[in-house]
Amino acid sequence: MEMAKRIWFSLVGQPIFLLVLFSPLIPFVCGRNVQNSPSGLYGFTGISSFRLINRRSLLTCPDPNPYLAINVTSVDPLANEQNVTVTVSGVIIPDKSDWVAMISPSDSDVSSCPVNSIMYQQTGDFSSLPLLCHYPVKAQFLSMDPSYLKCGKKECRTHASNVCVLRTCSGSITFHVVNIRTDIEFVFFTGGFETPCILRRSQPLKFANPKMPLYGHLSSIDSTATSMRLTWVSGDRSPQEVQYGDGKSQKSTVSTFTRGDMCTSDLASPAKDFGWHDPGYIHSAVMTGLQSSQTYSYRYGSESAGWSEKINFHTPTAGGSDKVRIVAFGDMGKAPRDLSVEHFIQPGSIMVIEAIEKEVASGNVDAVFHIGDISYATGFLVEWDYFLHLIHPVASRVSYMTAIGNHERDYVDSGSVYETPDSGGECGIPYETYFPMPSSSKDKPWYSIDMGSIHFTVISTEHDWTQESEQYKWIEKDLASVDRSKTPWVIFTGHRPMYSSQGGGIIPSVDQRFTKAVEPLLMKHKVDLVLFGHVHNYERSCFLYEGECKGMPNKDKSGLDTYDNTNYTAPIHAIIGMAGFSLDAFPIIVGKWSLVRASEFGYFRIQGTKEQLSLEFVSMRTENVEDKFNIIKAKR
Ligand SMILES: [Fe+2]
């Protein structure tokens, strides 16, 4: 039945009345809209149909046959990472709607939660009849076992005169499991994701060491590159330590967040309700007394909780020195390393992080900048652990700097500029706990840092940036304070773009008020390069100001686009949100300012010397550099 709903969106304090017709109802996803129906979601690679699971009523299975069983083959207890094979047996007629969910903790209420149906509106998905009061970590259809549907693995249950009169079938699927501290169980459902009912549940499986220190990741704390922060996760609340260099150590400070810390409006959010998962304890310690551009080793943990492996890491180039090599991208997220579906999957994330891992291993990266939309956990908190596991080979070896995005911060009535439900009620709390950046205080996630010849100004597009705001004043002060003799280059970065050819859905990708408010500061303070994400592709501009090209790059001898900033013209913008989320296409007609476009997964390389910035877009389609340009400046 056709129905109309009215939603108020208060954008930057100016309410916009939005009348949306819902049939079916429409959720908002990062500037796009997706039909909330199985047919609308199937084939949309960024969102699996599994997202519908919490909007299905849990039916009672017809009396299951007595032979049904679910068994788990794994290391007992569970290691920090392994593949767990789950076998269901005793199935009389295998059906393509049979599936298995991994649920944690095992004592979660997964039977029914009809009272909470209204809460699901807070995901931006309008529906009723939630299935699971506690959302599964992941799930797989048994048809992933190619022999299951044709009963390739048989067991004889009843014989008569040496003839088997009742055969049952079995099937096995494999789950990639990492240490999430809380015990897990596997639940055998039939009825698909649309009409599910529970057939059998496994015994709970415990992790051997829920206190194990894991997922250590580095960040810089200042421009000297003589101190590095290490942040890690453990089920242990007692302070631990990082041991590094030749016999140095630092004790950790311990923090965490609780379900009560998750934000909400009149209705509970996913983070506060069915998406909650205990994060354990987040430890952080600053390794001091280092030298820039050096390799050291460390391990972290304690005698009682255990120790991490020994890891080599690289300190960045100090601010004011010459050469620096950075990898940057936005909107990466994570994807499962098995055949599972999860609530939110970013299909390009694994290939991109593995390519960056190779660059880091070759010693060619000083630091990484991930400019918003970090894990896409969006209120389903166990996905932070899987994300931290995914980036660990990179983030444990070089500084992993971040900016906040809409999927970390935005929520209704939470103080975010955009009152969309994009963070699922996280409201930046898990983000700033997992990724402490050199910001001045909580919920003010803007900062700057010098690396080599580049000054990075990192802002939050999700916090107030209007002219009277604290952030605006900070941006102005920060840009004015740059010593260009030390760092001749200024890169300004955040999450939402000022320009994009991709128009977006109901909520546009570009907020003109943001561009109008902040762009004059970039011009005034001669920002060289502006990097944003949020839109999931790669795009680069001319010298751009107020929507118009103020100049064009020249071709150098090898035909490479070269922007000459000796006599400053205007900022150059690049969108680099192509690191994982399903890609955005470009319209046929684009503005004159858009010089290069690529709708491909990949990442961005920045190499700086005092004379030149060399920029490259590395595409995962070709595993090659698909755009390259330079910015030069003659010495004064
Ligand atoms: Fe975004």
Side-chain angles (χ1 to χ4, degrees), residues 274 462 564 604:
F274 49 86
E462 313 310 302
D564 191 341
F604 194 62

Side-chain angles (χ1 to χ4, degrees), residues 575-598:
I575 299 253
I576 54 168
M578 68 287 141
F581 201 103
S582 53
L583 295 161
D584 289 328
F586 289 99
I588 295 165
I589 299 169
V590 298
K592 282 185 182 162
W593 60 264
S594 175
L595 301 190
V596 177
R597 294 167 298 286

Side-chain angles (χ1 to χ4, degrees), residues 205-435:
L205 286 88
K206 290 187 186 309
F207 286 96
N209 183 6
K211 293 184 172 181
M212 185 68 200
L214 291 165
Y215 317 135
H217 50 279
L218 297 157
S219 58
S220 296
I221 65 159
D222 61 30
S223 302
T224 66
T226 55
S227 301
M228 292 277 274
R229 180 182 291 281
L230 183 74
T231 303
W232 67 94
V233 176
S234 165
D236 177 21
R237 70 186 308 167
S238 305
Q240 298 175 5
E241 64 180 19
V242 56
Q243 297 176 341
Y244 63 101
D246 295 325
K248 291 180 184 161
S249 71
Q250 291 288 342
K251 247 194 170 50
S252 67
T253 54
V254 187
S255 57
T256 189
F257 50 90
T258 66
R259 188 192 292 250
D261 295 328
M262 299 295 95
C263 74
T264 191
S265 61
D266 294 339
L267 303 169
S269 60
K272 217 178 181 74
D273 192 68
F274 49 86
W276 172 254
H277 180 259
D278 190 331
Y281 296 91
I282 292 94
H283 294 247
S284 203
V286 175
M287 295 180 275
T288 56
L290 306 170
Q291 289 186 339
S292 60
S293 303
Q294 295 294 321
T295 299
Y296 296 90
S297 67
Y298 66 84
R299 68 170 191 166
Y300 52 97
S302 69
E303 290 304 322
S304 63
W307 291 97
S308 74
E309 59 179 342
K310 204 170 181 183
I311 299 168
N312 286 334
F313 75 103
H314 183 73
T315 53
T317 313
S321 58
D322 192 24
K323 282 184 186 166
V324 63
R325 301 151 306 174
I326 306 285
V327 162
F329 53 84
D331 309 75
M332 190 172 72
K334 77 262 154 256
R337 287 191 180 275
D338 54 28
L339 297 173
S340 293
V341 288
E342 296 174 351
H343 118 274
F344 217 169
I345 292 172
Q346 290 70 51
S349 53
I350 290 179
M351 66 176 97
V352 170
I353 199 71
E354 286 183 349
I356 296 169
E357 185 183 341
K358 282 185 198 156
E359 294 232 9
V360 169
S362 67
N364 289 327
V365 180
D366 285 300
V368 168
F369 279 76
H370 184 165
I371 57 170
D373 287 1
I374 305 290
S375 74
Y376 290 92
T378 60
F380 298 83
L381 289 143
V382 74
E383 296 185 7
W384 278 106
D385 283 298
Y386 271 92
F387 173 76
L388 292 169
H389 177 269
L390 180 70
I391 65 165
H392 182 258
V394 169
S396 63
R397 292 180 169 86
V398 294
S399 197
Y400 197 93
M401 306 303 286
T402 56
I404 200 166
N406 52 310
H407 285 297
E408 285 74 60
R409 183 60 188 84
D410 293 1
Y411 209 67
V412 184
D413 297 335
S414 72
S416 54
V417 171
Y418 305 96
E419 296 210 333
T420 60
D422 293 354
S423 79
E426 293 187 4
C427 292
I429 293 165
Y431 165 78
E432 68 182 7
T433 312
Y434 288 123
F435 291 96

Side-chain angles (χ1 to χ4, degrees), residues 42-75:
Y42 292 146
F44 188 87
T45 53
I47 299 174
S48 74
S49 57
F50 189 50
R51 286 195 92 192
L52 294 172
I53 198 70
N54 61 358
R55 283 167 275 140
R56 300 294 163 205
S57 53
L58 185 63
L59 305 178
T60 306
C61 280
D63 278 348
N65 79 63
Y67 306 112
L68 276 183
I70 182 166
N71 286 299
V72 179
T73 313
S74 74
V75 181

